[in-house]
Amino acid sequence: MTDPANESDRQQREPEGVAPRPSRRALLGWGGAGLALGAAAAGGTVAALRSGTEAVPAGMSGAAVPFHGAHQAGIASAVQDRLHFAAFDVTTKDRAALVRLLKDWTRAAERMTAGLPVGEGAVGGLPEAPPDDTGEALGLKPNRLTLTIGFGPGLFAKDRFGLEDRRPEALVDLEQFPGDNLDPARSGGDLCVQACADDPQVAVHAIRQLARIGFGKTAMRWSQLGFGKTSSTTPDQQTPRNMMGFKDGTRNISGTDTAALDRHVWVGGGDGADWMTGGSYLVARRIRMHIETWDRTPLQEQEDIFGRDKAEGAPVGKPKEHDAPFLKAMKPDAHVRLAHPDSNDGATILRRGYSFTDGTDGLGRLDAGLFFLAYQRDVRKGFVRIQRALSKNDSLNEYIQHVGSAVFAVPPGVRDTDDWWGRTLFV
Amino acid sequence: MTDPANESDRQQREPEGVAPRPSRRALLGWGGAGLALGAAAAGGTVAALRSGTEAVPAGMSGAAVPFHGAHQAGIASAVQDRLHFAAFDVTTKDRAALVRLLKDWTRAAERMTAGLPVGEGAVGGLPEAPPDDTGEALGLKPNRLTLTIGFGPGLFAKDRFGLEDRRPEALVDLEQFPGDNLDPARSGGDLCVQACADDPQVAVHAIRQLARIGFGKTAMRWSQLGFGKTSSTTPDQQTPRNMMGFKDGTRNISGTDTAALDRHVWVGGGDGADWMTGGSYLVARRIRMHIETWDRTPLQEQEDIFGRDKAEGAPVGKPKEHDAPFLKAMKPDAHVRLAHPDSNDGATILRRGYSFTDGTDGLGRLDAGLFFLAYQRDVRKGFVRIQRALSKNDSLNEYIQHVGSAVFAVPPGVRDTDDWWGRTLFV
């Protein structure tokens, strides 16, 4: 049952741009007098949320991240602890059906990111229909859930949805880099949704609802659970460690550095493909680590390979993690040196990767590594430039292999409850 | 570097039987004057911790759970949020080598559950050797990590380790139940380790260290990540929901109900196989859910199948979740009715399962479901009795399939820093 007192509580804004935290349980009354979607969308929580580059204060992990704004949330937003990422094939050939799906997904995403179930009753209001939310996130707070959509190259294919002239030049098909061993079943996709949250149940629930809503129009092509973040966009907090035991993303773009975001992440008005203004480009790579081999490598060699020490994370020759690296002090094939903007004509990407472990392979080795996610203003000037250098020379290559790959155009944010994911592309 | 002030802090006990929370980062000084293992084991944190049936207060999720005690932690302990479970084949044929491994694992488990890295330097103290901790949990708190070991039937095989006469009768090979579709690559194992923690990085790290230490003596056979608990042993707290959206484990054995634990979970002195006194038996089943089919089933049908309502979790005809179920009000093939002790000669098990999602299968369906873990005093009187009823008649069977299975004898707890996992079996 909906408690009117709670309802009015939720319309009050908390100070730092963070929405209050309704409990999903408090809001749901299956079979009772539930909160109507229309009411929530028009005047309640959903409409009150604005996205952008607001920092989420530490310890607010139950909170909601605003969904609406000039940019999609889940890029500059403070990185949440867990990830569920899904890539979909579009199975419908009907452009109108695809547009309808994107609208339905947007409305569902608004609700879920606010901590609400997709709906309060049965699909279409019919008693014999299945519930319009599968329920496993009931009682859980929003947990900073963000849902971020991307459009893959296939969507712009000729004779498909009439979008062939709208494909941005910056959305290139990635070349085959040296060492790539890509599994087609873990690569590509017409659409992607990145779900990040501090509780994985919330992220998994969200992807599942979108898959359910998309039934008959999309099919899930692959998905990836990430159990721990490896990059932070809040450099004042503790830098997370990757599965090699090293701090990762020390010099990542900060989610509050609007100048750097405008320069390296958000697509600008003069970049071509106007519909992408305020959007970004996402490269996803499933990077398997040869954990067992790495674990038998001496510490000094590990540190030489990265170009940082392991305990503190300080660059070679410097005492502190956040000291500026002196690249020439590192070995020529050190990872940090090769990946640094100074080695790549200034190429800078915003990293948002997660560690994964998916059981064992047939040889008794952990199938584990880094699910790499990077956002940039132009794939050609970001990931491609850096990966060309790394794939040729990085001494880390002995211990890793890229086994999945995808690239997506991530459209601008949804402005309000009348707007929808991809409107600028389709209208 | 070790700070002597912190060191003395850590020796103070907090009131509720919960150990203080050292930061792994504070304790580690790779290349510096680290805390010696011997010192920690003799007088510090590690020796100060006692396991048993203590309840961990809510909100203490950074805390350590005592490792030592009459019973292994991770059974009656308050269920942590995340799981990494691994089954190993023993590859050595040398009984002494296996015993040495179990001792090494115990020492590592003592340290990791206390929030310490496995070691402070390189393996064997050699500068050219790899680090003796892989490092990805540095800076993280213990997060209530528990490590629980089990011995599979294969360990007792003839002409292997001389243990054929010590196999408990209660450790039966599970029969093939109707509907089972077991994948050998996800079943069985000579050893298992259940790692539970509130941070998955801590659980994954712990399993990896044990795998690394076991190199050349064991090989990982399979492993399973669980992203969300589905059963609680603290009935006063919120009951978690499984991937079908229903509350699970409402009437689970409470971790503080010593009478119920003694009756249904812990092996008693007169049960045969004296070395198991204080131990338990674990059944692990990977239960795939046909999510997409379930999600298209009407709410009323879902509730009839379970025998509880979805929102509140109340049994049929009752208003509240924790009301005693009236079985005859449920359909004869309702899940709760068939699984209830009254329908199974009193059979009662302690459930500790986790939801999983491992990407998609080849047909675009989520590979998701329940990784079921149940502890009991005798497998024949616990899981087998219940599963015979469920596998024949449960209306839930249309939506699930058991695809992995294993059974383990879980030895009693490690009493102190001289004791080790499995001593009562081998000595």
Side-chain angles (χ1 to χ4, degrees):
Chain A
M1 302 287 186
T2 306
D3 179 348
N6 284 347
E7 181 63 1
S8 91
D9 278 357
R10 272 184 292 113
Q11 296 182 17
Q12 294 171 20
R13 302 282 308 270
E14 291 191 7
E16 295 89 352
V18 172
R21 286 150 285 173
S23 153
R24 286 168 210 261
R25 175 187 278 166
L27 294 166
L28 188 86
W30 263 322
L35 175 71
L37 170 59
T45 312
V46 173
L49 306 178
R50 297 251 140 232
S51 179
T53 57
E54 307 86 343
V56 174
M60 294 290 281
S61 62
V65 176
F67 179 76
H68 296 123
H71 312 294
Q72 287 194 70
I75 303 171
S77 312
V79 181
Q80 302 92 328
D81 292 342
R82 325 285 167 219
L83 168 83
H84 197 199
F85 188 97
F88 297 86
D89 292 325
V90 176
T91 51
T92 182
K93 295 179 176 175
D94 178 1
R95 178 176 163 133
L98 174 58
V99 166
R100 210 156 49 237
L101 171 68
L102 291 169
K103 290 179 178 175
D104 289 346
W105 273 11
T106 308
R107 298 288 85 82
E110 277 169 348
R111 291 186 59 93
M112 293 192 287
T113 54
L116 300 167
V118 169
E120 307 290 336
V123 172
L126 304 169
E128 68 278 20
D132 57 8
D133 188 289
T134 60
E136 71 272 23
L138 287 174
L140 302 179
K141 291 185 172 157
N143 280 283
R144 294 199 290 151
L145 173 66
T146 55
L147 294 167
T148 314
I149 200 169
F151 301 141
L155 216 59
F156 304 91
K158 219 178 160 187
D159 299 326
R160 208 167 169 209
F161 299 108
L163 300 171
E164 54 266 36
D165 297 335
R166 312 212 65 186
R167 177 171 174 170
E169 285 185 16
L171 181 72
V172 290
D173 292 310
L174 294 180
E175 63 212 60
Q176 171 89 15
F177 295 101
D180 277 2
N181 184 19
L182 305 180
D183 177 358
R186 295 214 187 247
S187 298
D190 294 327
L191 300 172
C192 76
V193 179
Q194 170 197 283
C196 297
D198 291 324
D199 184 332
Q201 183 121 344
V202 169
V204 170
H205 169 264
I207 291 293
R208 178 183 176 187
Q209 304 316 302
L210 300 183
R212 185 179 54 75
I213 293 167
F215 181 77
K217 299 173 189 170
T218 60
M220 205 182 282
R221 182 177 171 86
W222 52 274
S223 82
Q224 180 69 54
L225 193 76
F227 69 81
K229 64 178 171 184
T230 62
S231 292
S232 167
T233 51
T234 46
D236 48 320
Q237 291 174 17
Q238 177 170 310
T239 308
R241 291 179 184 273
N242 62 25
M243 286 287 278
M244 290 179 153
F246 279 76
K247 292 182 182 174
D248 205 332
T250 296
R251 290 176 68 81
N252 205 10
I253 296 174
S254 164
T256 54
D257 185 347
T258 49
L261 290 169
D262 285 341
R263 184 156 174 212
H264 300 297
V265 178
W266 306 131
V267 176
D271 288 355
D274 281 351
W275 68 271
M276 275 293 290
T277 303
S280 190
Y281 296 95
L282 169 62
V283 173
R285 305 280 285 187
R286 189 175 192 268
I287 306 177
R288 171 94 187 263
M289 293 176 178
H290 305 311
I291 295 284
E292 294 76 11
T293 316
W294 179 256
D295 288 352
R296 295 199 291 278
T297 303
L299 177 60
Q300 186 60 55
E301 194 173 329
Q302 292 186 3
E303 294 182 335
D304 286 347
I305 288 168
F306 269 94
R308 289 183 180 272
D309 91 295
K310 196 166 186 176
E312 163 65 23
V316 170
K318 299 291 179 81
K320 288 291 173 195
E321 178 193 350
H322 289 283
D323 290 344
F326 179 56
L327 299 183
K328 289 186 178 165
M330 300 176 186
K331 304 216 165 180
D333 56 359
H335 179 73
V336 165
R337 179 168 178 171
L338 288 169
H340 195 278
D342 290 354
S343 307
N344 298 287
D345 291 326
T348 304
I349 53 181
L350 184 149
R351 284 158 289 161
R352 241 184 172 277
Y354 286 82
S355 292
F356 69 85
T357 175
D358 292 331
T360 45
D361 66 14
L363 299 169
R365 299 175 304 199
L366 268 183
D367 180 6
L370 170 64
F371 186 66
F372 173 91
L373 294 170
Y375 287 89
Q376 58 237 285
R377 188 170 165 183
D378 187 323
V379 174
R380 296 165 296 184
K381 297 176 188 165
F383 178 77
V384 167
R385 207 175 263 176
I386 297 168
Q387 187 57 15
R388 278 184 187 156
L390 290 179
S391 61
K392 277 193 205 117
N393 298 315
D394 189 354
S395 51
L396 201 53
N397 291 339
E398 193 180 334
Y399 304 94
I400 61 174
Q401 189 164 54
H402 289 235
V403 296
S405 178
V407 62
F408 301 96
V410 175
V414 173
R415 294 172 309 179
D416 53 38
T417 53
D418 292 325
D419 198 6
W420 44 279
W421 271 335
R423 180 187 51 80
T424 55
L425 172 60
F426 286 92
V427 175
Chain B
M1 302 285 188
T2 305
D3 177 349
N6 285 347
E7 181 64 1
S8 90
D9 278 354
R10 273 185 289 113
Q11 294 180 20
Q12 295 171 19
R13 303 284 306 271
E14 292 192 7
E16 296 89 351
V18 172
R21 288 149 286 173
S23 154
R24 287 165 210 260
R25 175 189 277 167
L27 294 166
L28 188 88
W30 263 320
L35 174 73
L37 171 59
T45 313
V46 174
L49 307 180
R50 298 248 140 235
S51 179
T53 58
E54 307 88 343
V56 175
M60 294 289 281
S61 63
V65 175
F67 179 77
H68 297 122
H71 312 294
Q72 289 193 69
I75 304 171
S77 313
V79 181
Q80 303 92 328
D81 291 343
R82 323 284 168 223
L83 166 84
H84 195 199
F85 189 98
F88 297 88
D89 293 324
V90 176
T91 52
T92 181
K93 295 179 177 176
D94 179 0
R95 177 175 164 132
L98 175 57
V99 166
R100 210 156 49 239
L101 171 67
L102 291 169
K103 290 179 177 174
D104 289 347
W105 272 11
T106 308
R107 298 289 83 81
E110 277 168 348
R111 290 185 59 91
M112 291 191 288
T113 54
L116 301 166
V118 169
E120 306 290 336
V123 172
L126 304 169
E128 68 276 21
D132 55 10
D133 188 288
T134 59
E136 72 271 24
L138 287 173
L140 302 180
K141 292 185 170 158
N143 279 284
R144 296 199 291 150
L145 174 67
T146 56
L147 294 166
T148 313
I149 200 169
F151 300 141
L155 216 60
F156 304 93
K158 221 178 157 186
D159 301 325
R160 207 165 171 209
F161 300 109
L163 298 172
E164 53 266 38
D165 298 335
R166 313 212 65 188
R167 176 169 175 173
E169 285 185 15
L171 181 71
V172 290
D173 293 310
L174 293 181
E175 63 213 59
Q176 171 88 15
F177 295 101
D180 278 2
N181 184 20
L182 305 180
D183 177 359
R186 295 217 188 244
S187 299
D190 294 327
L191 300 172
C192 76
V193 180
Q194 170 197 282
C196 297
D198 290 324
D199 185 332
Q201 183 121 343
V202 169
V204 170
H205 169 264
I207 292 293
R208 177 181 176 187
Q209 304 316 302
L210 300 183
R212 185 180 54 76
I213 293 167
F215 182 77
K217 299 173 189 170
T218 60
M220 204 179 285
R221 182 175 172 86
W222 53 273
S223 81
Q224 180 68 54
L225 193 77
F227 69 80
K229 64 178 173 184
T230 62
S231 293
S232 165
T233 53
T234 47
D236 49 318
Q237 289 174 18
Q238 178 169 311
T239 308
R241 290 181 185 271
N242 62 26
M243 286 286 277
M244 291 180 154
F246 278 77
K247 293 184 183 174
D248 205 332
T250 296
R251 290 175 68 81
N252 206 9
I253 296 174
S254 163
T256 54
D257 184 347
T258 50
L261 292 168
D262 285 342
R263 185 157 173 211
H264 298 298
V265 178
W266 306 131
V267 177
D271 288 355
D274 281 352
W275 68 270
M276 274 294 289
T277 304
S280 190
Y281 296 95
L282 169 62
V283 173
R285 306 279 286 187
R286 189 175 193 268
I287 305 177
R288 171 93 188 264
M289 293 175 177
H290 305 311
I291 296 284
E292 293 76 11
T293 316
W294 179 256
D295 288 353
R296 293 199 293 277
T297 303
L299 177 59
Q300 186 60 55
E301 193 174 331
Q302 293 186 3
E303 295 183 334
D304 287 345
I305 288 168
F306 268 94
R308 288 183 181 274
D309 90 294
K310 197 166 185 176
E312 162 66 22
V316 171
K318 299 291 180 81
K320 287 292 172 191
E321 178 193 351
H322 289 282
D323 290 344
F326 178 58
L327 299 183
K328 289 186 180 165
M330 299 175 186
K331 302 215 167 181
D333 56 358
H335 180 74
V336 165
R337 179 169 178 171
L338 288 170
H340 194 278
D342 290 353
S343 307
N344 298 287
D345 290 328
T348 305
I349 53 181
L350 186 149
R351 283 157 292 161
R352 237 182 174 281
Y354 286 82
S355 291
F356 70 83
T357 176
D358 292 331
T360 44
D361 66 15
L363 299 169
R365 300 175 304 199
L366 269 183
D367 180 7
L370 170 64
F371 187 66
F372 173 92
L373 294 170
Y375 287 90
Q376 57 237 285
R377 189 170 166 183
D378 188 322
V379 175
R380 296 165 296 184
K381 296 175 187 165
F383 177 77
V384 167
R385 208 174 263 175
I386 297 168
Q387 187 56 17
R388 278 184 187 156
L390 290 179
S391 61
K392 275 191 206 117
N393 298 316
D394 190 353
S395 50
L396 202 52
N397 291 338
E398 192 179 336
Y399 303 94
I400 62 174
Q401 189 164 55
H402 289 237
V403 296
S405 178
V407 60
F408 300 96
V410 175
V414 172
R415 293 171 311 180
D416 53 39
T417 53
D418 292 325
D419 198 7
W420 44 279
W421 272 336
R423 179 187 50 79
T424 56
L425 172 60
F426 287 92
V427 175

